[in-house]
Protein backbone atom coordinates (compact mmCIF):
# COMPACT_ATOMS: atom_id res chain seq x y z
CA UNK A 1 0.00 0.00 0.00
CA UNK A 2 1.31 3.46 -0.95
CA UNK A 3 0.29 6.61 0.83
CA UNK A 4 1.33 10.18 0.04
CA UNK A 5 2.09 12.84 2.62
CA UNK A 6 3.15 16.42 2.24
CA UNK A 7 6.67 16.98 3.54
CA UNK A 8 7.08 20.74 3.56
CA UNK A 9 6.05 21.71 0.01
CA UNK A 10 6.88 18.37 -1.60
CA UNK A 11 4.83 15.27 -2.07
CA UNK A 12 6.55 12.11 -0.91
CA UNK A 13 5.34 8.66 -1.85
CA UNK A 14 5.88 6.43 1.11
CA UNK A 15 6.17 2.66 1.03
CA UNK A 16 5.54 1.38 4.55
CA UNK A 17 8.62 -0.37 5.95
CA UNK A 18 10.51 -0.19 9.19
CA UNK A 19 12.43 1.06 11.07
CA UNK A 20 10.66 4.41 11.24
CA UNK A 21 12.10 7.86 11.67
CA UNK A 22 10.29 11.05 12.50
CA UNK A 23 10.62 14.00 10.14
CA UNK A 24 8.61 17.24 9.92
CA UNK A 25 5.94 15.86 12.27
CA UNK A 26 5.07 12.97 9.98
CA UNK A 27 5.95 9.41 10.76
CA UNK A 28 8.01 8.49 7.71
CA UNK A 29 9.62 5.12 7.02
CA UNK A 30 13.36 5.36 6.59
CA UNK A 31 13.47 3.34 3.36
CA UNK A 32 12.09 3.46 -0.18
CA UNK A 33 11.07 7.11 -0.21
CA UNK A 34 10.56 8.85 -3.51
CA UNK A 35 10.43 12.60 -3.98
CA UNK A 36 8.86 13.95 -7.16
CA UNK A 37 10.63 17.33 -7.12
CA UNK A 38 14.04 18.27 -8.49
CA UNK A 39 16.77 20.59 -7.21
CA UNK A 40 15.43 20.61 -3.69
CA UNK A 41 16.42 18.81 -0.55
CA UNK A 42 15.41 15.21 -0.12
CA UNK A 43 15.80 14.98 3.66
CA UNK A 44 13.59 11.92 3.90
CA UNK A 45 16.00 9.71 1.98
CA UNK A 46 17.23 6.60 3.70
CA UNK A 47 20.52 6.88 5.58
CA UNK A 48 22.07 4.30 3.27
CA UNK A 49 20.87 6.09 0.15
CA UNK A 50 23.03 5.95 -2.95
CA UNK A 51 22.51 9.72 -3.38
CA UNK A 52 25.14 10.38 -0.70
CA UNK A 53 28.26 11.83 -2.33
CA UNK A 54 31.70 10.54 -1.47
CA UNK A 55 34.44 13.02 -0.57
CA UNK A 56 36.07 12.71 -4.01
CA UNK A 57 32.86 13.76 -5.77
CA UNK A 58 32.31 16.57 -3.25
CA UNK A 59 35.87 17.81 -3.77
CA UNK A 60 35.38 17.76 -7.55
CA UNK A 61 32.17 19.79 -7.30
CA UNK A 62 33.79 22.30 -4.95
CA UNK A 63 36.76 22.84 -7.25
CA UNK A 64 34.58 23.21 -10.37
CA UNK A 65 31.78 25.45 -9.21
CA UNK A 66 31.86 26.28 -5.50
CA UNK A 67 35.26 27.87 -4.95
CA UNK A 68 34.24 29.84 -1.83
CA UNK A 69 33.10 26.66 -0.06
CA UNK A 70 35.36 24.24 1.81
CA UNK A 71 34.86 20.57 2.63
CA UNK A 72 34.72 19.82 6.36
CA UNK A 73 37.54 17.74 7.82
CA UNK A 74 35.16 14.77 8.12
CA UNK A 75 34.01 15.20 4.51
CA UNK A 76 30.37 15.30 5.60
CA UNK A 77 29.60 19.01 5.16
CA UNK A 78 30.57 22.07 3.16
CA UNK A 79 31.37 25.40 4.83
CA UNK A 80 31.64 29.01 3.83
CA UNK A 81 32.97 31.79 6.07
CA UNK A 82 33.12 35.53 5.55
CA UNK A 83 32.92 38.83 7.39
CA UNK A 84 30.15 41.34 6.73
CA UNK A 85 30.56 45.09 7.10
CA UNK A 86 28.38 45.15 10.25
CA UNK A 87 25.92 43.26 12.44
CA UNK A 88 22.85 44.42 10.51
CA UNK A 89 24.31 43.08 7.26
CA UNK A 90 25.04 39.71 8.88
CA UNK A 91 21.47 39.38 10.16
CA UNK A 92 20.13 40.52 6.78
CA UNK A 93 22.13 37.71 5.16
CA UNK A 94 20.69 35.20 7.65
CA UNK A 95 17.16 36.38 6.81
CA UNK A 96 17.79 35.90 3.08
CA UNK A 97 19.20 32.43 3.76
CA UNK A 98 16.05 31.66 5.74
CA UNK A 99 13.82 32.49 2.75
CA UNK A 100 15.81 30.26 0.41
CA UNK A 101 16.08 27.43 2.94
CA UNK A 102 12.34 27.40 3.56
CA UNK A 103 11.60 27.29 -0.19
CA UNK A 104 13.97 24.36 -0.64
CA UNK A 105 13.03 22.61 2.59
CA UNK A 106 16.73 22.33 3.38
CA UNK A 107 18.22 24.23 6.29
CA UNK A 108 21.91 25.02 6.81
CA UNK A 109 23.58 25.62 10.14
CA UNK A 110 24.23 29.35 10.52
CA UNK A 111 26.83 30.75 12.92
CA UNK A 112 27.55 34.36 13.86
CA UNK A 113 30.45 35.37 16.04
CA UNK A 114 32.08 38.70 16.85
CA UNK A 115 28.90 40.36 15.51
CA UNK A 116 29.92 40.14 11.83
CA UNK A 117 31.75 36.85 11.19
CA UNK A 118 29.39 34.50 9.37
CA UNK A 119 29.81 30.77 8.86
CA UNK A 120 27.38 28.63 6.88
CA UNK A 121 27.55 24.83 7.17
CA UNK A 122 25.51 22.63 4.84
CA UNK A 123 24.96 18.89 4.98
CA UNK A 124 22.11 16.42 4.69
CA UNK A 125 21.56 15.04 8.15
CA UNK A 126 19.39 12.14 6.92
CA UNK A 127 22.36 10.63 5.05
CA UNK A 128 24.98 11.93 7.48
CA UNK A 129 26.89 13.50 4.62
CA UNK A 130 26.58 15.44 1.40
CA UNK A 131 24.07 15.18 -1.43
CA UNK A 132 23.48 17.21 -4.58
CA UNK A 133 20.80 19.13 -2.65
CA UNK A 134 23.59 20.57 -0.48
CA UNK A 135 25.39 21.90 -3.52
CA UNK A 136 22.16 23.26 -5.01
CA UNK A 137 21.58 25.16 -1.77
CA UNK A 138 25.18 26.43 -1.75
CA UNK A 139 24.68 27.74 -5.29
CA UNK A 140 21.53 29.58 -4.27
CA UNK A 141 23.27 31.08 -1.23
CA UNK A 142 26.14 32.27 -3.44
CA UNK A 143 23.60 34.44 -5.30
CA UNK A 144 22.76 36.46 -2.19
CA UNK A 145 24.20 39.97 -2.33
CA UNK A 146 26.40 40.64 0.70
CA UNK A 147 28.14 43.79 1.88
CA UNK A 148 31.47 42.34 2.96
CA UNK A 149 33.87 43.95 5.39
CA UNK A 150 36.38 46.01 3.39
CA UNK A 151 39.21 44.84 5.63
CA UNK A 152 38.17 41.19 5.15
CA UNK A 153 38.04 41.64 1.36
CA UNK A 154 41.55 43.13 1.30
CA UNK A 155 42.95 40.33 3.47
CA UNK A 156 41.25 37.70 1.34
CA UNK A 157 42.45 39.24 -1.90
CA UNK A 158 46.01 39.30 -0.58
CA UNK A 159 45.81 35.60 0.28
CA UNK A 160 43.74 34.17 -2.57
CA UNK A 161 43.36 36.80 -5.25
CA UNK A 162 40.06 38.50 -6.19
CA UNK A 163 37.04 36.22 -6.54
CA UNK A 164 34.00 37.84 -4.88
Amino acid sequence: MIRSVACRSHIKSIYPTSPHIFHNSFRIPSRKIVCMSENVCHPCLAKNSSSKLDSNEATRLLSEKYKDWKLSSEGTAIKKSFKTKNFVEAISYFNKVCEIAEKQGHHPDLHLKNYQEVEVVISTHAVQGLTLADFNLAGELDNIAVSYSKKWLKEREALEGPSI
Side-chain angles (χ1 to χ4, degrees):
M1 170 164 94
I2 298 175
R3 56 192 175 99
S4 294
V5 284
C7 177
R8 300 236 180 235
S9 60
H10 309 98
I11 301 299
K12 311 283 184 197
S13 297
I14 310 299
Y15 297 85
T17 60
S18 58
H20 290 84
I21 57 172
F22 288 92
H23 175 71
N24 295 340
S25 35
F26 293 104
R27 189 170 181 174
I28 297 179
S30 63
R31 294 188 204 142
K32 297 188 179 182
I33 295 172
V34 179
C35 182
M36 306 301 207
S37 60
E38 292 183 31
N39 295 324
V40 293
C41 177
H42 302 273
C44 300
L45 289 172
K47 288 185 180 182
N48 60 355
S49 171
S50 62
S51 64
K52 181 178 177 180
L53 301 176
D54 63 29
S55 60
N56 291 335
E57 182 67 13
T59 302
R60 184 187 64 79
L61 285 168
L62 288 172
S63 66
E64 287 178 5
K65 192 173 179 184
Y66 305 93
K67 302 211 185 295
D68 293 328
W69 294 83
K70 307 291 181 223
L71 190 62
S72 69
S73 58
E74 305 84 20
T76 58
I78 53 176
K79 300 177 179 191
K80 179 178 182 178
S81 299
F82 56 89
K83 198 172 195 179
T84 61
K85 73 177 186 175
N86 57 38
F87 179 75
V88 172
E89 185 61 31
I91 297 302
S92 175
Y93 176 80
F94 280 9
N95 288 329
K96 293 171 189 173
V97 169
C98 178
E99 291 174 21
I100 293 168
E102 282 297 303
K103 285 179 187 172
Q104 289 196 8
H106 192 33
H107 304 91
D109 294 335
L110 301 172
H111 306 273
L112 178 63
K113 56 186 176 181
N114 296 327
Y115 79 88
Q116 67 189 104
E117 295 175 20
V118 172
E119 181 181 54
V120 182
V121 182
I122 304 175
S123 69
T124 300
H125 301 287
V127 299
Q128 297 177 349
L130 291 165
T131 65
L132 288 178
D134 299 313
F135 289 92
N136 289 333
L137 179 58
E140 288 293 319
L141 300 186
D142 281 346
N143 292 328
I144 297 174
V146 179
S147 293
Y148 296 102
S149 158
K150 290 179 182 178
K151 181 179 178 183
W152 179 82
L153 282 173
K154 286 179 185 176
E155 290 170 356
R156 178 192 160 121
E157 191 173 305
L159 289 173
E160 302 173 10
S163 67
I164 293 184

